[in-house]
Structures are given as structure tokens and as C-alpha cells.
Amino acid sequence: MKCNLMRTLWLAICALVLGADARANENEVAIADSIRKYKYYAKTARQNKEYDRAIGYYTTVLQYSPQELTAAYFLGQLYYEKKDSTGARIALPQAHVALRQATSIDSLHLNSNLLLYTIHKAMDLPDSAAWSLERVLIKKPDAAKYRRELADLYRREGHNEQAVAHYEKLVADGAKDADLFEILALLHQELGQVEQAIEWRKRQVEGGTGGADQLESIVELKLEVGDVEGAYDTLLELAKEDSQNAYSYYNRISLIASEAGNDSMHIEGLKGMVEADPKDLKSIAELVEWHQGRGEFASAKAWLGRGLKVNPEDAHLLLLKGDNLVREGDEEGAIAAFEKAKADPAWERVAQQRIWQLRPPETEEEKLKRQFFGGEEAQEEQN
């Protein structure tokens, strides 16, 4: 009797469990059927551009199954499509919520992240926009278009190191954009990475995408790091490449060398200036003085002849010619040169002093005139 009672109880329990399982299975089947049904309705409505109905169906799908990735994505897309009719201030946040649900299901879902990027830009959320594109590139690392957009975004926001990393990856992957080298040179310079900036400038020139502007930038960068010799070399290259502006490059060499105390390069700069502009008598005069100061009188005489051939009346050169003739013992020729130099008011006093050094004044009138001109001090001041 007792055994029969236990058997009956056991059968009853089994029946209850089996019934519960059956009802659960029936419920799961019903839910799955409902999900399929509403997904079908949603797809049909979306294809017919019945946005409100499609939104309702996809919302229902997500209520049944919150992990439905495609439903979350399409819901976000539909809200985004409605931005013109409902207003961006309403539609974009709604789309944002749905798409964030999609990325919580799959953080690397490509279409969700791409649309989130667009929405973040529209909502002026640059950091979030960058976050979305970073995930796009994890999924598609060879997507040059999106890498360039991300690099440009980082650059606009002042995140130069991140921008550099993506720009350099683009170059390494074979990007042909001519402006990438320029951008990288500027970014490295802004980061204080001068050597890297120089290298990118060089690559511009070597690749045929740069010219005089890039070489001039290299000069400034080399001076910034104290590479004066490198600056000379680059300026010489510029003078060769841009012959129309060679004078200014040689002048720059001369000035830099003068500041650095580099006499040989200073003279090279002067010579280049004269080669670029044979009428540059000021530089010729400086070359004459330099050679005279070193006792290189033959070279000084050669430069004098070259300068006086251009302008036989140049007072400064005439004075230097007279000094040279004095050294050669030709006082008469020297005085003639000094007298000729007196025609220029700027050099008249100096020329007169030179003459008095050779032939001191004899009359009181001449002595007074010498005193009026300032004596030896005037000569030293003019020199």
C-alpha cells in the first residue's frame, strides 16, 4: 500500500516537471516565433520607409530579446534617418542610445561604430567620435579612409601624438597624399621633435613633393638644433636649386656665419652674393678688406679690379685701391684714387684724411680745414 502511494506521488511529480518543461518549451517557441515575426515586420516596414512602424517593431524585438544586435543597429539607423522630420535634437540622442546598445552587444560592430562616429560628430563629441573610429580600425585596420579621418580629427583637437601615429601608419601603408609629409613635419615640429621634422622635410624634397619652401624650413630646423653646418649645406642646395633667389640664400649664409664666427663660410657667402649679383659692390668691398687684412694682396687686387670694372667711381673701392697703391709704394696713384673718392660726400672726410696722411697740410688754411674735418678720429669713425 505504502509503495503504491510513493509510486503515485513520484508519477505526479514527474508529470508536473514534464508539464513545466513543456510549457517552457512552448513559451520559448512562442517567443522565437514572435521575434521572427516582428523582425520580418520591422524589415518590411524599414524597406518601405515606414520608419515609425519599423521603430515600433524593432523596439518590440529588443523587448523580447535585448541581445538582438541587428535590431539594435537598425533601430539606431531608423532614428538617425528620422532626424530631418523629428529634429536632430531628438533623433540623434535616440539613435545614440540604440547604437550604444548595439556596441554593448558587440563593441566592434562595424556599421554601428561608423554610424556612431557620424552621430558623435553631429553632436560635437570629438572624443567619442575618435573612440568610434578607433574601433572601426580595430575591425578594419587597412581602411585608409577612416584612418585619415581619425588622424585629422586628432590633429584638429590638438592630440598631436595620436595624430602622428595614424598619419605615419598611412605613409607606411603606401598612402600617396602629397600633404602627409608636410603635416607630419609640422606636427613633429609642434611636438618639439625637430630631428623627426627635418627627416620628413627631407622626404618631401626627395619624393619630389617639396621644394624651396621645404628646404628653407629645414634650414630653420637645423639652426634650432644647432646644426649650423647642416644649415649651410641646405642653403647651398637652395642656391643651386632656386638660382633666381640665390643672392638671398648666400646672404643668409654670410649672416649666419658672421654670427657664428665662421670666417670661411662668411666669405663663401659673400662670394656667392657677388656671383649672384655682380653689381653688389658692398660685398666686393668687404671681400677686398678681408683679403687685405690677411695680407692676401693679390686676391684683394683681383676683387678690386672686378668691382671697379662695374663702377669706376665707387668711392669705397677707390679708397681701398688707394690703400693698396700705398702698400705698393705708388703714392701719386694712391692720392689720385683718394681725390677721386672725395666726390662722394659719404666718403669725402675719410678720403681727405688719407690724403693728409700722405701729404700733411702746409698752410694755416689747410690746417684749419683738417681740424674742421675731424683729424684722425674722423678717419677711425668712418672706418
Side-chain angles (χ1 to χ4, degrees):
M1 183 72 178
K2 187 176 179 180
C3 289
N4 290 335
L5 181 61
M6 290 297 293
R7 188 181 296 113
T8 302
L9 182 59
W10 172 251
L11 291 172
I13 291 171
C14 290
L16 286 172
V17 171
L18 291 172
D21 288 343
R23 286 192 297 274
N25 288 333
E26 289 175 2
N27 190 44
E28 288 178 4
V29 170
I31 291 173
D33 287 341
S34 295
I35 290 172
R36 283 193 294 271
K37 177 179 68 175
Y38 284 114
K39 285 174 72 173
Y40 173 76
Y41 291 158
K43 179 180 179 181
T44 303
R46 177 169 56 83
Q47 291 175 340
N48 291 331
K49 296 187 178 181
E50 298 172 349
Y51 294 151
D52 290 330
R53 291 185 62 196
I55 286 172
Y57 291 136
Y58 280 124
T59 301
T60 302
V61 171
L62 288 169
Q63 288 171 348
Y64 278 111
S65 178
Q67 297 301 306
E68 282 287 338
L69 175 60
T70 56
Y73 167 69
F74 283 125
L75 183 59
Q77 184 190 56
L78 288 163
Y79 277 128
Y80 180 75
E81 294 292 338
K82 278 173 59 66
K83 67 184 183 300
D84 293 333
S85 58
T86 61
R89 292 182 62 183
I90 296 173
L92 293 183
Q94 291 173 325
H96 183 265
V97 170
L99 291 166
R100 286 306 299 267
Q101 183 175 353
T103 55
S104 71
I105 299 167
D106 179 359
S107 65
L108 300 183
H109 187 245
L110 184 63
N111 289 335
S112 293
N113 278 307
L114 284 173
L115 189 49
L116 271 174
Y117 165 64
T118 302
I119 291 170
H120 288 147
K121 282 201 305 180
M123 296 173 71
D124 194 23
L125 299 170
D127 290 342
S128 297
W131 182 90
S132 298
L133 274 187
E134 288 283 8
R135 276 143 190 80
V136 168
L137 290 171
I138 293 173
K139 188 80 171 183
K140 295 190 69 175
D142 296 330
K145 173 186 175 184
Y146 299 127
R147 191 173 297 280
R148 178 60 187 267
E149 288 186 30
L150 180 57
D152 290 343
L153 175 59
Y154 277 137
R155 185 186 180 203
R156 287 194 300 271
E157 296 303 313
H159 303 310
N160 288 354
E161 289 185 358
Q162 292 95 321
V164 164
H166 287 289
Y167 284 128
E168 290 187 342
K169 180 66 166 62
L170 285 167
V171 174
D173 288 345
K176 302 298 183 183
D177 306 51
D179 62 336
L180 285 178
F181 290 180
E182 173 74 16
I183 291 171
L184 281 164
L186 290 172
L187 286 175
H188 279 296
Q189 189 171 353
E190 289 174 14
L191 288 166
Q193 299 165 350
V194 179
E195 293 294 345
Q196 292 93 322
I198 291 172
E199 288 305 311
W200 284 108
R201 292 293 183 196
K202 287 180 178 178
R203 289 184 69 172
Q204 274 186 289
V205 176
E206 292 166 1
T209 60
D213 290 343
Q214 284 67 40
L215 287 170
E216 287 180 12
S217 296
I218 290 174
V219 171
E220 298 305 322
L221 291 168
K222 287 186 175 180
L223 289 174
E224 191 174 326
V225 296
D227 183 8
V228 180
E229 293 296 328
Y232 296 149
D233 292 341
T234 305
L235 284 166
L236 289 170
E237 186 179 347
L238 270 165
K240 182 179 179 181
E241 180 177 305
D242 185 10
S243 58
Q244 290 186 337
N245 294 302
Y247 183 90
S248 65
Y249 301 130
Y250 285 118
N251 185 43
R252 187 79 192 284
I253 289 173
S254 179
L255 292 173
I256 293 170
S258 180
E259 291 176 4
N262 187 330
D263 286 346
S264 63
M265 283 307 301
H266 176 62
I267 295 305
E268 285 303 310
L270 290 175
K271 289 178 179 178
M273 291 163 68
V274 175
E275 290 300 325
D277 180 10
K279 295 181 180 180
D280 181 12
L281 299 182
K282 182 175 180 297
S283 294
I284 289 177
E286 192 172 345
L287 285 165
V288 174
E289 290 174 331
W290 188 79
H291 283 296
Q292 285 181 344
R294 292 167 60 88
E296 298 169 354
F297 299 117
S299 297
K301 192 171 183 179
W303 281 108
L304 265 174
R306 185 168 175 173
L308 289 170
K309 187 175 180 180
V310 174
N311 181 8
E313 309 298 323
D314 185 85
H316 192 184
L317 292 176
L318 287 168
L319 284 170
L320 294 172
K321 178 183 178 181
D323 292 340
N324 207 43
L325 290 171
V326 170
R327 291 187 187 91
E328 293 175 353
D330 184 1
E331 289 191 3
E332 291 298 327
I335 290 173
F338 295 147
E339 287 287 354
K340 198 171 182 181
K342 285 171 61 178
D344 185 339
W347 294 95
E348 181 182 4
R349 181 175 297 182
V350 177
Q352 184 62 66
Q353 293 304 317
R354 293 281 206 283
I355 293 170
W356 278 329
Q357 285 175 353
L358 296 174
R359 290 183 181 175
E362 297 178 355
T363 66
E364 287 299 318
E365 182 181 353
E366 287 175 332
K367 290 178 181 178
L368 289 172
K369 189 175 181 182
R370 181 178 186 183
Q371 186 178 3
F372 173 77
F373 273 111
E376 295 295 333
E377 292 181 2
Q379 177 184 348
E380 292 173 2
E381 181 179 334
Q382 183 66 49
N383 285 334

